[in-house]
């Protein structure tokens, strides 16, 4: 796949071009993911084998370099469309063969076929260390034409002086992937033969994939469904077979093919891409057509695509929790969709015919990512580059903020651990801070409510909250305190008849009273196996409901994880890692995991703390250490230097 100057997301929320397998590999991975998805749709959710997927992507690839496989381009450039079509058309066989065995399949090749490609692939048994050859099970492929002519796989000369030679037919006893290529095959039935030349570890499952390449022109991009922007350059891409000496004509239509406009009528016969400046026409019925001059070979986009301008957006903080978006009018736009990042997707949160939009109800402590997309009637253009804002300031002078009360925060109770000095914080009455965001005073009665999972408690307050002012209120109604510990999800809200903005009326807070009973049995072993597969990105006590562990970080990028993927754990499935998300090359984050054990029963004993840690190749830092203290009031004492004592890459090390 292409790995040269690929534009993608970059560090620190930027875009940029990058090079190499770092860019090619994601394209292959994403394409294979779509192939897996399509296979599952056609096979009741069953996953295909990786051997089938490999055979299909290799056999449907667009040949590059010298004809057939070569040492520079392998089997060619990935073509995910053709690979998916091979899945949909069942152009493959799955079978197994034993030593000395034979098997065959018959396929029909229709007239006007430009090329037949047949591939054999098997996931071979691993060779012994230092074996003379890495191939263990050796299968052979031949293809017989209707005229009884046999074809063997394309093989290369591995001699250093001959690696640039073109592939030729021959026997292959080196590779576990073989491909037969027949150009301009005659119509009729072809027999695919497989033999188990040497299968010491059998029977060996194998895949046969076949591709029938017709004389044709196929527009690969724009395929359909894309959104393009007037004035931008798009690379039209196509594949073509037949009449190879003839040039191409490229055209576009803005009315679903009723009329065509010529882009260029003399594109080189060897070209497969063309840089096109998108016209300033507003449409959702655009098509591109590529035709081979002097022949009937032609192809156009599989479906319509959209041409519509893209807004350029700026964001300003208007008030706590509110951001105003501004953009210039887009030609042809009848309205604009407003989008916000929710989870991992940009979701539509509003629509306007104006060139401004006030986004309210945002968390004042969290960066909001917002974007705008122009609409023309029912269809939408490409979304703007998103803008980010932390809505923690602003003059709040807009009329929209008058009589706007928000629950700014739930001040108490707060999470605490039993037997610690602050344990009473988890039993304190509910106290909230209510803020008037407007530029005029708000006078009661004001209803303030809270719930903790039980019956809601509502109390009425007769007070005046000045413009931009805050008011703290402590409820007289209490929640039940459970001495053995609890976890309540507090919800608090304010109700004012004149308040038209309800997006910021409510605040939430999880409060834990963490049990901290004395340890009475030694040793205490923690392998994290009882914890959920979870990411922790906010400071939290008793993460994953494990009463012993607290997490904190010095920036919003800090993260603790109990599961990354298989292979991280020393045993079982769980381990605990500390890192950044998203990663920043310029911001240093200090992650901390604090372990809390009530060891009052062992106050007179010597205790030993053992642990295992793994070197994942992370950057070394002199502050990577473990500290210990006897109680929450004692000073921390350095117990172990992870920086000095780091193990070898990929190795667990035992510390104590």
């Amino acid at each position: 796949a292409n790995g040269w100057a690929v534009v993608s997301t970059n560090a620190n929320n930027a875009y940029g071009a990058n090079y190499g397998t770092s860019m090619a590999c994601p394209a292959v991975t994403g394409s294979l993911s779509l192939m897996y998805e399509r296979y599952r749709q056609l096979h009741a959710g069953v996953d295909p084998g990786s051997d089938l997927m490999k055979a299909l992507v290799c056999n449907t690839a667009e040949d590059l370099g010298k004809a057939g496989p070569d040492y520079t381009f392998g089997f060619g450039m990935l073509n995910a469309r053709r690979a998916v079509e091979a899945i949909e058309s069942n152009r493959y066989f799955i079978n197994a063969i034993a030593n000395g065995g034979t098997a065959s399949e018959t396929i029909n090749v229709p007239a006007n076929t430009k090329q037949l490609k047949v591939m054999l692939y098997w996931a071979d048994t691993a060779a012994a260390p230092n074996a003379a050859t890495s191939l263990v099970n050796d299968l052979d492929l031949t293809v017989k034409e209707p005229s009884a002519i046999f074809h063997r796989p394309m093989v290369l000369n591995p001699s250093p002086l001959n690696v640039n030679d073109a592939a030729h037919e021959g026997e292959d006893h080196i590779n576990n992937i073989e491909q037969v290529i027949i150009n301009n095959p005659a119509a009729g039935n072809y027999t695919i033969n497989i033999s188990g030349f040497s299968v010491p570890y059998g029977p060996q499952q194998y895949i046969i994939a076949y591709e029938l390449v017709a004389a044709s022109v196929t527009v690969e991009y724009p395929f359909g469904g894309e959104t393009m922007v007037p004035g931008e350059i798009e690379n039209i891409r196509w594949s073509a077979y037949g009449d190879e000496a003839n040039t191409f004509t490229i055209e576009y239509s803005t009315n679903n093919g009723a009329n065509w406009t010529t882009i260029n009528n003399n594109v080189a016969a060897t070209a497969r891409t063309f840089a096109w400046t998108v016209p300033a026409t507003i449409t959702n019925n655009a098509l591109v057509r590529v035709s081979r001059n002097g022949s009937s070979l032609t192809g156009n986009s599989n479906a319509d695509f959209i041409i519509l301008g893209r807004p350029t957006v700026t964001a300003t903080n208007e008030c706590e929790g509110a951001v105003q978006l501004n953009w210039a009018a887009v030609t042809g736009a009848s309205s604009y969709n407003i989008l916000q990042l929710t989870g991992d997707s940009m979701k539509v949160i509003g629509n306007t015919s104006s060139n401004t939009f006030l986004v309210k109800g945002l968390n004042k402590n969290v960066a909001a990512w917002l974007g705008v997309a122009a609409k023309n009637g029912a269809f939408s253009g490409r979304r703007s580059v998103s803008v980010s804002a932390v809505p923690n300031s602003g003059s709040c002078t807009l009329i929209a903020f008058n009589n706007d009360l928000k629950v700014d925060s739930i001040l108490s109770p707060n999470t605490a651990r039993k037997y610690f000095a602050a344990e009473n914080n988890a039993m304190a009455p509910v106290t909230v801070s209510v803020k008037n965001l407007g530029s005029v005073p708000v006078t009661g009665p004001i209803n303030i409510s809270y719930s903790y999972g039980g019956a809601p408690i509502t109390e009425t307050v007769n007070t005046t909250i000045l413009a931009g002012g805050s008011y703290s209120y402590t409820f007289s109604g209490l929640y039940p305190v459970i001495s053995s510990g609890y976890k309540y999800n507090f919800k608090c809200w304010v109700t004012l008849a004149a308040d038209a903005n309800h997006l910021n009326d409510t605040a939430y807070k999880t409060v834990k009273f963490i049990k901290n009973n004395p340890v009475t049995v030694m040793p205490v072993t923690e392998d994290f196996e009882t914890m959920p597969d979870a990411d922790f990105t906010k400071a939290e006590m008793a993460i994953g409901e494990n009463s012993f562990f607290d997490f904190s970080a010095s920036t919003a990028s800090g993260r603790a994880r109990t599961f990354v993927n298989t292979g991280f754990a020393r045993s079982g499935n769980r381990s605990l890692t500390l890192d950044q998300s998203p990663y920043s090359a310029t911001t240093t984050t200090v992650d901390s995991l604090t372990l809390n054990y009530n060891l009052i029963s062992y106050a007179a004993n010597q205790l030993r703390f053992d642990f295992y840690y793994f070197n994942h190749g992370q950057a070394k830092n002199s502050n990577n250490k473990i500290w210990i203290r006897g109680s929450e009031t004692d000073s921390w004492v350095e117990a172990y230097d992870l920086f000095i004592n780091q193990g070898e890459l990929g190795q667990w090390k035992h510390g104590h």
Side-chain angles (χ1 to χ4, degrees):
N2 180 38
W4 183 263
V6 177
V7 175
S8 183
T9 51
N10 215 330
N12 302 316
N13 299 310
Y15 290 97
N18 215 325
Y19 302 81
T21 54
S22 294
M23 307 310 291
C25 181
V28 176
T29 304
S31 298
L32 280 163
S33 297
L34 294 173
M35 290 171 59
Y36 270 79
E37 179 184 42
R38 186 61 179 138
Y39 186 94
R40 290 168 180 163
Q41 292 170 348
L42 298 171
H43 296 85
V46 176
D47 277 333
S50 62
D51 52 357
L52 174 60
M53 293 292 100
K54 180 168 182 175
L56 291 174
V57 294
C58 288
N59 200 50
T60 58
E62 299 285 349
D63 190 27
L64 297 175
K66 289 183 169 62
D70 58 64
Y71 287 122
T72 302
F73 296 100
F75 292 102
M77 175 75 79
L78 172 75
N79 188 320
R81 173 192 61 80
R82 289 173 59 171
V84 168
E85 289 176 355
I87 293 173
E88 294 172 336
S89 302
N90 295 308
R91 292 199 296 269
Y92 58 87
F93 304 99
I94 304 174
N95 207 338
I97 199 165
N99 187 48
T102 60
S104 64
E105 306 286 351
T106 301
I107 61 173
N108 182 264
V109 176
N112 197 39
T113 298
K114 186 67 178 174
Q115 189 179 68
L116 169 64
K117 297 196 294 184
V118 179
M119 178 167 283
L120 167 67
Y121 172 73
W122 65 100
D124 196 20
T125 299
N130 301 317
T133 176
S134 60
L135 189 67
V136 177
N137 289 334
D138 187 359
L139 280 59
D140 282 340
L141 166 70
T142 60
V143 177
K144 185 177 74 171
E145 291 192 30
S147 61
I149 296 175
F150 276 86
H151 291 270
R152 299 189 182 280
M154 305 299 290
V155 296
L156 295 167
N157 190 338
S159 170
L161 296 178
N162 300 99
V163 292
N164 291 319
D165 292 356
H168 62 277
E169 288 193 20
E171 293 185 354
D172 189 338
H173 298 296
I174 297 175
N175 302 293
N176 64 329
I177 185 166
E178 302 180 358
Q179 185 181 50
V180 168
I181 300 175
I182 304 175
N183 293 316
N184 301 307
N189 290 330
Y190 285 65
T191 304
I192 303 170
N193 300 297
I194 307 298
S195 64
F197 179 81
S198 176
V199 188
Y201 295 94
Q204 172 66 60
Q205 177 173 295
Y206 63 83
I207 306 294
I208 297 172
Y210 65 95
E211 183 75 0
L212 304 169
V213 181
S216 60
V217 175
T218 303
V219 175
E220 305 288 359
Y221 180 86
F223 192 75
E226 297 88 355
T227 54
M228 296 189 179
V229 178
E232 290 192 355
I233 295 176
E234 295 281 355
N235 288 314
I236 298 170
R237 293 185 288 106
W238 66 94
S239 56
Y241 300 90
D243 296 315
E244 276 78 7
N246 296 9
T247 58
F248 294 99
T249 291
I250 305 177
E251 304 163 281
Y252 74 91
S253 171
T254 59
N255 53 12
N256 199 33
N259 303 99
W260 293 92
T261 300
T262 299
I263 300 172
N264 191 306
N265 62 1
N266 191 29
V267 178
T270 56
R272 294 297 181 269
T273 65
F274 185 87
W276 175 46
T277 301
V278 180
T281 304
I282 310 306
T283 181
N284 65 333
N285 297 126
L287 297 170
V288 161
R289 181 167 69 185
V290 180
S291 305
R292 183 75 90 164
N293 293 332
S295 77
S296 61
L297 302 179
T298 186
N300 54 260
S301 305
N302 189 65
D304 297 329
F305 59 90
I306 293 169
I307 301 177
L308 183 60
R310 179 174 66 170
T312 299
V313 180
T314 59
T316 56
N317 283 0
E318 295 297 329
C319 193
E320 285 186 9
V323 171
Q324 182 162 293
L325 303 178
N326 303 277
W327 61 93
V330 172
T331 301
S334 57
S335 68
Y336 301 88
N337 277 340
I338 314 302
L339 301 97
Q340 180 181 355
L341 179 63
T342 304
D344 61 359
S345 302
M346 295 294 289
K347 303 290 181 63
V348 176
I349 60 170
N351 179 268
T352 182
S353 57
S354 176
N355 300 131
T356 66
F357 190 87
L358 183 64
V359 183
K360 298 184 289 186
L362 302 172
N363 187 329
K364 69 176 183 178
N365 299 312
V366 177
W369 284 95
L370 305 163
V372 178
K375 294 192 69 178
N376 181 285
F379 69 88
S380 177
R382 188 182 302 171
R383 172 176 53 82
S384 69
V385 174
S386 295
V387 292
S388 175
V390 179
N392 57 6
S393 62
S395 60
C396 303
T397 55
L398 298 177
I399 295 176
F401 299 118
N402 286 346
N403 298 309
D404 187 359
L405 293 184
K406 66 172 289 190
V407 177
D408 199 40
S409 62
I410 301 174
L411 301 175
S412 66
N414 294 294
T415 295
R417 185 173 271 105
K418 276 190 80 172
Y419 307 124
F420 273 53
E423 70 172 332
N424 288 332
N425 289 346
M427 308 173 198
V430 175
T431 301
V432 299
S433 175
V434 178
K435 187 168 185 177
N436 174 11
L437 295 181
S439 56
V440 297
V442 171
T443 301
I446 302 167
N447 287 334
I448 306 178
S449 309
Y450 85 86
S451 66
Y452 56 91
I457 296 172
T458 299
E459 297 178 4
T460 302
V461 178
N462 286 293
T463 190
T464 296
I465 306 177
L466 299 177
S470 296
Y471 171 73
S472 294
Y473 179 74
T474 299
F475 284 86
S476 58
L478 301 177
Y479 54 91
V481 173
I482 303 171
S483 60
S484 60
Y486 62 77
K487 176 184 176 181
Y488 288 145
N489 293 314
F490 283 95
K491 173 184 176 182
C492 184
W493 63 99
V494 62
T495 306
L496 179 70
D499 186 351
N501 177 26
H502 300 298
L503 295 174
N504 57 6
D505 291 348
T506 307
Y508 301 86
K509 184 178 185 179
T510 297
V511 177
K512 306 173 189 176
F513 185 35
I514 305 166
K515 64 181 179 180
N516 187 28
N517 296 330
V519 173
T520 57
V521 178
M522 284 287 186
V524 175
T525 302
E526 177 60 66
D527 58 10
F528 306 102
E529 290 299 309
T530 61
M531 296 184 68
D533 174 2
D535 292 10
F536 304 95
T537 56
K538 296 180 180 179
E540 183 180 354
M541 298 175 67
I543 59 172
E545 307 313 312
N546 187 318
S547 61
F548 300 118
F549 296 104
D550 302 340
F551 170 71
S552 64
S554 62
T555 75
S557 297
R559 175 174 63 176
R561 286 187 285 180
T562 54
F563 181 81
V564 179
N565 56 44
T566 55
F568 266 65
R570 180 173 177 269
S571 62
N573 294 308
R574 297 284 187 267
S575 61
L576 200 132
T577 62
L578 301 174
D579 61 8
Q580 277 188 336
S581 178
Y583 168 74
S584 172
T586 58
T587 302
T588 299
T589 296
V590 180
D591 292 330
S592 298
L593 183 75
T594 306
L595 290 65
N596 306 272
Y597 294 104
N598 186 340
L599 301 175
I600 189 66
S601 301
Y602 298 91
N605 299 80
Q606 287 190 339
L607 300 175
R608 173 173 168 140
F609 177 57
D610 287 78
F611 55 93
Y612 292 88
Y613 60 106
F614 190 84
N615 183 353
H616 290 288
Q618 67 276 4
K620 293 184 177 181
N621 191 295
S622 59
N623 291 317
N624 289 343
K625 296 179 179 180
I626 293 176
W627 290 266
I628 197 165
R629 63 183 181 180
S631 74
E632 61 176 318
T633 59
D634 291 333
S635 298
W636 288 103
V637 177
E638 183 178 322
Y640 195 88
D641 192 323
L642 294 166
F643 171 68
I644 293 176
N645 296 292
Q646 184 65 272
E648 294 297 322
L649 180 64
Q651 297 295 317
W652 283 94
K653 190 168 183 179
H654 182 196
H656 55 82

